[in-house]
Amino acid sequence: MKALQDKIIQDGKVLSETVLKVDSFLNHQIDPKLMQEIGQEFANRYKDAGLTKIVTIESSGIAPATMAGLILGIPVVFARKRKSLTLAGNLYSSKVHSFTKNETNEISVSKDFLKSDDVVLIIDDFLANGEAVKGLLDIVGQAGSTASGVGIVIEKGFQDGGKLLREKGIRIDSLAIISSLEDGKVTFAEGELAR
């Protein structure tokens, strides 16, 4: 997706060979126009999938997931990382290790919001090692729901998550695939994966 790639080049900051900072438009401050374009792109790719829900993880997946849900006319459910008084019991839960934060969280979704007849699109901001996606797939599986695919805003193609998930037959649609962050420069993957 060219608009996203342009934004990454313009405003993204390469912090190391494995970390890209995009807090000016995705992870802290949100660019609503870009999120609308991202939501439209996911909606276009999954418009015929019979989706009934979008599932994401707090917090950076919420903006692109909400825009896709708005366009598709379906609810968005986000897995919570912290339990609250209103989210007790009756939960689907899974453990997820964050590459960026180097910590493991238990994520949870209320059983009230995912049912066995749901057809789900998972959306997340980044795909690196695939831990968040695996956790969300686990929750979708616990609910007996069907995962139609996974929409990723930015995939770190130089890490194994996307490859391992695709090898399991999971449909992954990444809007920007980065092949390298070496020498402080963002290099995008070419060809079939990048679309």
Side-chain angles (χ1 to χ4, degrees):
M1 187 177 153
K2 185 164 184 345
L4 175 59
Q5 289 182 343
D6 291 347
K7 192 71 165 176
I8 291 168
I9 295 296
Q10 177 186 323
D11 294 336
K13 293 183 173 78
V14 178
L15 300 184
S16 73
E17 291 187 352
T18 58
V19 179
L20 173 67
K21 186 175 181 180
V22 290
D23 64 349
S24 67
F25 62 90
L26 179 62
N27 294 127
H28 194 53
Q29 175 174 271
I30 295 169
D31 180 332
K33 176 96 174 88
L34 180 62
M35 291 308 112
Q36 183 178 28
E37 291 177 47
I38 287 168
Q40 185 65 61
E41 183 64 29
F42 287 137
N44 290 346
R45 292 183 188 203
Y46 285 88
K47 67 180 180 237
D48 298 322
L51 299 176
T52 60
K53 298 267 172 74
I54 294 175
V55 174
T56 189
I57 191 168
E58 67 174 349
S59 65
S60 298
I62 294 173
T66 299
M67 290 298 187
L70 178 67
I71 294 162
L72 290 166
I74 59 175
V76 175
V77 178
F78 66 89
R80 301 193 57 168
K81 294 179 185 173
R82 290 169 190 80
K83 290 189 179 157
S84 70
L85 293 175
T86 61
L87 191 68
N90 200 34
L91 300 172
Y92 300 116
S93 296
S94 189
K95 295 217 183 290
V96 171
H97 183 78
S98 168
F99 170 80
T100 309
K101 296 176 185 164
N102 194 27
E103 65 184 26
T104 300
N105 290 300
E106 184 173 69
I107 61 170
S108 301
V109 169
S110 170
K111 291 181 179 180
D112 294 337
F113 302 129
L114 270 183
K115 304 295 181 193
S116 61
D117 59 350
D118 279 318
V119 179
V120 172
L121 170 61
I122 291 170
I123 292 181
D124 204 10
D125 60 339
F126 270 94
L127 174 58
N129 293 320
E131 294 300 312
V133 171
K134 286 185 217 167
L136 291 171
L137 285 167
D138 180 34
I139 285 174
V140 169
Q142 289 175 47
S145 304
T146 302
S148 181
V150 178
I152 298 295
V153 178
I154 302 169
E155 178 179 340
K156 295 178 184 177
F158 54 87
Q159 291 180 277
D160 288 337
K163 177 178 174 262
L164 295 173
L165 292 166
R166 287 181 181 95
E167 285 173 355
K168 290 181 177 182
I170 298 163
R171 176 181 173 183
I172 308 288
D173 284 275
S174 297
L175 303 187
I177 300 177
I178 295 170
S179 61
S180 170
L181 293 173
E182 291 177 13
D183 301 320
K185 181 181 169 215
V186 176
T187 305
F188 293 102
E190 298 296 325
E192 190 175 314
L193 286 177
R195 287 201 248 214

